[in-house]
Amino acid sequence: MIARNVPDVTFRTRVRDESIEGPNPFRWEDKTSADYFSGKRVILFSLPGAFTPTCSTYQLPDFEKLYGEFQAEGIDEIYCISVNDAFVMNAWGKAQGIDKIKLIPDGSGEFTRKMGMLVRKDNLGFGLRSWRYAAVINNGAIEKMFVEEGFSDNCETDPYGASSPQNILEALRADKDSAAA
Ligand code: BEZ
């Protein structure tokens, strides 16, 4: 079942704070769904895990590269969410040199579960994770979902196509062309 609005959730993020001395100048900062989604038109993409090959080689870096093209289509922010904690998401963003895409830690999987996208990945020793999907979200309302085929627990494959940035850009441009026609 796909939600029509994003669920109200509180995310536990870790942010840099220069007033903290020592080798680890970060503190917890709670961010809500409203903080991320209110008053903006955004792309959210969700994937099975930080540091995994398709996500690290294609999906995250390609969204970063195409960020300007999404802005030109009226997108204010692009968010990447995963059922991983804030330490892992921050380390992944740093390792990938990401500075445009914002990473959201859904460590407990609450947002993903309420989106109807939580799946078992026990076959890989991952536990509960997100099915791969993306969405166009306007002021918290889900305009369009791009869900990879074969939604299932313990899927043996990792389909990737529908939620690619290239596919979403094509859909945004087609919608714009048909609205103008
Ligand atoms: C991948 O991104 O390639 C991947 C994701 C989940 C499990 C294994 C691989």
Side-chain angles (χ1 to χ4, degrees):
M1 183 71 181
I2 288 169
R4 298 183 62 193
N5 287 285
V6 292
D8 286 330
V9 163
T10 298
F11 300 96
R12 304 278 284 147
T13 76
R14 297 277 301 171
V15 295
R16 198 171 176 94
D17 183 339
E18 298 304 341
S19 72
I20 298 171
E21 288 179 16
N24 197 351
F26 289 83
R27 62 176 163 76
W28 292 104
E29 184 168 285
D30 285 355
K31 292 204 173 104
T32 64
S33 295
D35 292 329
Y36 285 118
F37 298 107
S38 289
K40 293 172 222 168
R41 187 166 183 240
V42 307
I43 303 290
L44 174 74
F45 66 98
S46 187
L47 37 79
F51 293 99
T52 55
T54 303
C55 312
S56 294
T57 311
Y58 301 107
Q59 200 172 18
L60 180 59
D62 284 354
F63 269 109
E64 178 86 2
K65 278 183 219 137
L66 294 169
Y67 186 83
E69 298 195 35
F70 280 99
Q71 282 186 310
E73 298 305 319
I75 297 298
D76 301 309
E77 297 277 7
I78 303 180
Y79 300 131
C80 171
I81 191 168
S82 179
V83 181
N84 287 116
D85 63 67
F87 294 97
V88 169
M89 291 301 270
N90 284 357
W92 188 38
K94 189 173 173 193
Q96 293 277 120
I98 296 302
D99 69 359
K100 299 185 181 81
I101 309 304
K102 298 198 169 105
L103 304 186
I104 305 180
D106 185 28
S108 66
E110 185 184 356
F111 183 92
T112 302
R113 179 172 54 77
K114 289 179 173 170
M115 286 291 284
M117 288 289 134
L118 199 64
V119 288
R120 292 186 184 284
K121 287 203 166 284
D122 299 308
N123 58 327
L124 299 174
F126 279 22
L128 291 165
R129 294 296 176 106
S130 180
W131 188 252
R132 201 188 286 280
Y133 71 94
V136 182
I137 299 165
N138 195 354
N139 193 26
I142 299 167
E143 270 183 26
K144 202 163 208 163
M145 289 281 284
F146 300 84
V147 181
E148 297 297 342
E149 63 184 15
F151 179 94
S152 54
D153 288 328
N154 299 313
C155 188
E156 289 301 330
T157 58
D158 178 30
Y160 177 56
S163 66
S164 70
Q166 294 85 355
N167 187 55
I168 298 166
L169 264 178
E170 205 174 294
L172 289 172
R173 288 171 180 153
D175 285 351
K176 196 168 74 178
D177 289 347
S178 63

